Amino acid sequence: MTRRGLIILYIMVVWFVISFVTNLIGPLMPIIIDDFQLSLGMAGFLPFSFFLAYGLISIPAGALVEARGPRTTLFAAFGFNLVGCLAIALYPVYAVVIAGLFVIGLGMAMLQVVINPLTRATGGEGHFAFFSVMGQLVFGLASYVSPMIFSVLMNQAAHHGFVWVQFYQAFLVVFVLLIAITGTLRIPRVELTDEERSGGWAAYRELLGQRPVQLFFLGIVAYVGTEQSLANWMSQFLSTYHHFSPTREGAHAVGLFWGLMSIGCLLGLVLLKLFDAKVVLAGFTICALVLLGLALYGPANVALLAFPALGFFLSVMYSIIFSTALNSVSRHHGAFSGILCTGILGGAIVPLLVGILGDHLGLRTALLTVFVTLSFILSVSWWARPLVRNQTVDLLDLIRSRTGSYPNRS
């Protein structure tokens, strides 16, 4: 295999690991609640600690890539991952798990910051879009596989108590191997584009003073909060209200949620060639609102299908909000990207809020919070005024071009 091929394979493995480790939190929630006898609010600190790290480290990680390059950033990221997993594996008590997830989150955020420019530098700008889509497909595959492997391990165990710690013991081996592989590979230098540079503090101050920037930031907060609230509380909801097993039906529902999100991304690519991005966003969000109502208030068999189906309709939201935001400003795209990535802390805030409200009002009522975040996402399709719109093709013209049928010309 060529050097470029090895680096691309390495990048795909990194995408798989990021997704597998991140998306284990959702199916773990009911098990950890039971093992530690946690309230819903205390359980909410699990995703809170992980995604808080994303919000705090995204901009500094971009600065590290600029200053020291991808190899140093990769070593630092894997080092954080290793330390966090080691803490959980050696001393799995509630406080240590919270701290360990925070440290793992730091590493995962750094990996996501460095992996895109590394992909572009390795594959070349002409193939960047192709390899980016490939990475997202690998990410989606791992998202689907992670809860399934969790389900198999938990159901094979004689008892469920703290069996999940074996995952973090296995992750230790994975991250040691990745550190070793990173040391032997010839990682290419990365020249960041204007869109990838973090920008100076003056750029951040200028952007943060603009109302559209503030609203798009809240849009990312709302999306990631929606996604993580559903992924992390879905299994607990199905267990509490419909008595489904967290290690079987619950884990399967979480895996299917992520799997359908990958399928939705593929359909979204087609729809964005045919319709304005704001129209696609509005249509998918309205469908998600309907499904959320069915998931929360429908009978057991409907809820078991509606929760995973939400992943399909969430699939296009992040990319549309992010791209529409960048297309709404004329400069400082790198700094704006950093601001938007910081909005990933919505994955910390909203699931925690759901947990706290769940202790006082019940989980079903608490998940009405997701109606609020989805409604804000729907509002983006109304108030967004991008300077550049996504290019579309006329469906009839496309069909005619493929079939060779054209209208008569006089």
Side-chain angles (χ1 to χ4, degrees), residues 65-79:
V65 176
E66 285 188 54
R68 301 300 299 272
R71 183 185 295 275
T72 299
T73 308
L74 287 164
F75 278 134
F78 291 137

Side-chain angles (χ1 to χ4, degrees), residues 2 24 27 46 97 140 154 175 198 207 241 301 309 329 372 392 400 407:
T2 65
L24 192 65
L46 297 169
V97 172
M154 296 300 293
F175 288 120
S198 60
L207 287 168
Y241 292 99
N301 58 333
V329 299
V372 178
T392 60
R400 288 165 183 154

Side-chain angles (χ1 to χ4, degrees), residues 8-348:
I8 291 295
L9 177 61
Y10 167 83
I11 289 170
M12 296 305 137
V13 170
V14 171
W15 272 125
F16 189 93
V17 171
I18 291 172
S19 178
F20 193 101
V21 175
T22 299
N23 294 306
L24 192 65
I25 297 175
L28 268 177
M29 288 283 279
I31 307 302
I32 292 181
I33 287 172
D34 185 60
D35 282 350
F36 292 138
Q37 295 298 299
L38 302 177
S39 67
L40 297 180
M42 292 178 70
F45 277 100
L46 297 169
F48 175 84
S49 62
F50 188 89
F51 284 95
L52 177 64
Y54 268 77
L56 295 178
I57 201 67
S58 292
I59 292 175
L64 180 62
V65 176
E66 285 188 54
R68 301 300 299 272
R71 183 185 295 275
T72 299
T73 308
L74 287 164
F75 278 134
F78 291 137
F80 278 126
N81 295 148
L82 188 64
V83 170
C85 290
L86 183 63
I88 295 173
L90 291 180
Y91 200 56
V93 298
Y94 174 71
V96 173
V97 172
I98 293 293
L101 287 175
F102 176 78
V103 175
I104 294 170
L106 293 174
M108 291 302 171
M110 294 178 73
L111 288 176
Q112 293 214 35
V113 168
V114 72
I115 210 72
N116 283 316
L118 181 59
T119 301
R120 179 181 49 76
T122 304
E125 291 189 359
H127 301 286
F128 182 42
F130 173 81
F131 288 124
S132 293
V133 172
M134 182 186 294
Q136 291 308 303
L137 290 175
V138 171
F139 187 96
L141 174 64
S143 301
Y144 177 75
V145 168
S146 179
M148 300 306 172
I149 294 179
F150 164 83
S151 178
V152 171
L153 176 64
M154 296 300 293
N155 286 312
Q156 285 181 347
H159 60 89
H160 292 164
F162 294 94
V163 175
W164 51 271
V165 176
Q166 295 177 23
F167 279 101
Y168 291 93
Q169 294 168 348
F171 294 156
L172 285 173
V173 178
V174 170
F175 288 120
V176 167
L177 288 174
L178 283 170
I179 290 171
I181 292 169
T182 304
T184 60
L185 286 176
R186 293 174 58 194
I187 305 294
R189 292 179 58 85
V190 169
E191 295 294 334
L192 298 181
T193 64
D194 289 340
E195 288 75 16
E196 292 166 342
R197 295 184 185 278
S198 60
W201 289 115
Y204 288 108
R205 285 195 299 269
E206 178 183 332
L207 287 168
L208 289 171
Q210 300 176 21
R211 185 164 180 79
V213 170
Q214 299 165 5
L215 291 173
F216 278 118
F217 169 78
L218 291 176
I220 296 296
V221 170
Y223 169 75
V224 183
T226 298
E227 175 196 278
Q228 292 302 316
S229 292
L230 292 171
N232 290 319
W233 289 114
M234 177 190 314
S235 182
Q236 182 66 32
F237 181 95
L238 292 171
S239 174
T240 300
Y241 292 99
H242 301 300
H243 309 294
F244 287 118
S245 167
T247 60
R248 289 191 294 273
E249 293 90 352
H252 180 76
V254 175
L256 195 55
F257 172 85
W258 294 112
L260 289 173
M261 187 174 287
S262 297
I263 295 172
C265 285
L266 297 177
L267 177 62
L269 291 174
V270 175
L271 292 177
L272 288 170
K273 286 297 182 182
L274 301 175
F275 304 102
D276 185 86
K278 296 202 300 178
V279 173
V280 177
L281 179 63
F284 273 54
T285 307
I286 290 170
C287 290
L289 284 164
V290 172
L291 276 174
L292 179 61
L294 293 173
L296 295 181
Y297 293 101
N301 58 333
V302 171
L304 193 59
L305 295 174
F307 269 118
L310 277 159
F312 182 89
F313 291 102
L314 264 60
S315 61
V316 301
M317 295 180 186
Y318 182 85
S319 59
I320 290 178
I321 296 170
F322 205 101
S323 61
T324 303
L326 292 181
N327 285 339
S328 299
V329 299
S330 58
R331 58 179 185 164
H332 301 317
H333 291 104
F336 195 10
S337 294
I339 291 170
L340 293 173
C341 287
T342 304
I344 292 174
L345 60 79

Side-chain angles (χ1 to χ4, degrees), residues 365-408:
T365 302
L367 281 169
L368 294 177
T369 304
V370 181
F371 276 109
V372 178
T373 54
L374 280 173
S375 296
F376 186 86
I377 292 169
L378 181 61
S379 78
V380 175
S381 64
W382 173 67
W383 53 255
R385 297 290 183 270
L387 303 174
V388 180
R389 294 182 179 272
N390 59 301
Q391 292 186 352
T392 60
V393 296
D394 185 270
L395 183 57
L396 290 177
D397 287 345
L398 181 62
I399 294 172
R400 288 165 183 154
S401 68
R402 295 300 182 188
T403 61
S405 173
Y406 296 91
N408 292 329

